[in-house]
Amino acid sequence: MNNKILNAKILHVAKSTSQWESEESVIPKGMLCVEFTETSETKIKIGNGTKSFSELPYTGNNNLENYFTKSETISEIELAVQSLGKIITIKGTAYSLEHLPESENNAGDLWFVKSDSSEYDTYNEYIWITDVSGNGKWEFLGQTASQVDFSEYSKKEYVDEQISKLKNETISLSDQIIINCTI
């Protein structure tokens, strides 16, 4: 992998309230200033290139306590996926419903059974369910087909073309933040 050196300015700084209070310099235009208060609030100011932090107004509603950071989001997704493993366990494929095992099944065992109803590789999904007494049976869950519609997705060539158009252009986002794209 080739390393590339990019000349860039950091336009995002996060500090505590007391750290921002001691900041007297002018905040560069477009710099996102994140303030973490002692009451666990997160407040945001955006530099205008002429005022210090204390002179800048806060932007809109900055209460971010109901939002996850990237690492918190990843962690929550991993926990959810792990719990799914406890609910459903994919066991394999079978040629017909008659080939599904009738013993030693656990609630949540999932099998894909080949379907003859389509020109594509289609499978019916069956899951083992149990009632309160522990009696179990196979229940039709749905159908999976290997034919996937990619018409709403972008091809690599299109994305590469759009990226090349952005090279060395300046993009303005809501007249508050300016991003210079240099690739």
Side-chain angles (χ1 to χ4, degrees):
M1 179 165 89
N2 294 331
N3 291 330
K4 293 183 180 182
I5 297 174
L6 301 174
N7 293 325
K9 289 183 180 178
I10 297 175
L11 295 176
H12 174 128
V13 177
K15 296 181 180 182
S16 68
T17 301
S18 60
Q19 290 170 317
W20 279 118
E21 286 172 351
S22 64
E23 182 65 54
E24 296 176 11
S25 61
V26 170
I27 305 298
K29 185 175 183 177
M31 177 185 244
L32 182 67
C33 304
V34 180
E35 176 185 354
F36 300 110
T37 69
E38 293 175 10
T39 59
S40 298
E41 284 184 275
T42 303
K43 297 180 176 183
I44 298 172
K45 293 184 178 188
I46 298 173
N48 65 5
T50 62
K51 295 182 178 179
S52 67
F53 180 83
S54 62
E55 298 171 307
L56 291 169
Y58 289 103
T59 60
N61 179 4
N62 294 310
N63 184 355
L64 301 178
E65 69 183 38
N66 293 323
Y67 293 86
F68 287 115
T69 63
K70 181 179 179 180
S71 61
E72 290 170 332
T73 301
I74 291 169
S75 200
E76 289 294 320
I77 290 170
E78 287 173 351
L79 285 172
V81 169
Q82 287 173 2
S83 68
L84 285 177
K86 297 174 187 169
I87 298 170
I88 296 175
T89 304
I90 298 174
K91 301 301 273 188
T93 59
Y95 290 106
S96 68
L97 195 53
E98 292 79 31
H99 288 95
L100 292 177
E102 289 298 324
S103 61
E104 299 183 25
N105 294 310
N106 296 310
D109 285 355
L110 179 73
W111 281 82
F112 296 98
V113 178
K114 184 80 172 130
S115 172
D116 296 327
S117 65
S118 173
E119 62 186 87
Y120 303 108
D121 286 338
T122 306
Y123 292 87
N124 294 321
E125 301 163 353
Y126 286 89
I127 191 165
W128 186 260
I129 60 168
T130 54
D131 61 19
V132 193
S133 307
N135 300 320
K137 67 176 184 172
W138 290 109
E139 182 78 22
F140 176 74
L141 189 61
Q143 193 173 69
T144 303
S146 64
Q147 179 70 12
V148 180
D149 178 13
F150 289 108
S151 63
E152 296 295 320
Y153 291 82
S154 296
K155 292 186 175 183
K156 286 184 177 183
E157 306 91 58
Y158 174 79
V159 173
D160 290 343
E161 180 183 314
Q162 298 306 309
I163 289 172
S164 70
K165 287 180 182 178
L166 290 175
K167 287 184 178 180
N168 297 318
E169 288 185 17
T170 301
I171 303 167
S172 175
L173 303 175
S174 68
D175 296 327
Q176 293 179 350
I177 303 172
I178 304 293
I179 301 171
N180 288 317
C181 298
T182 304
I183 300 176

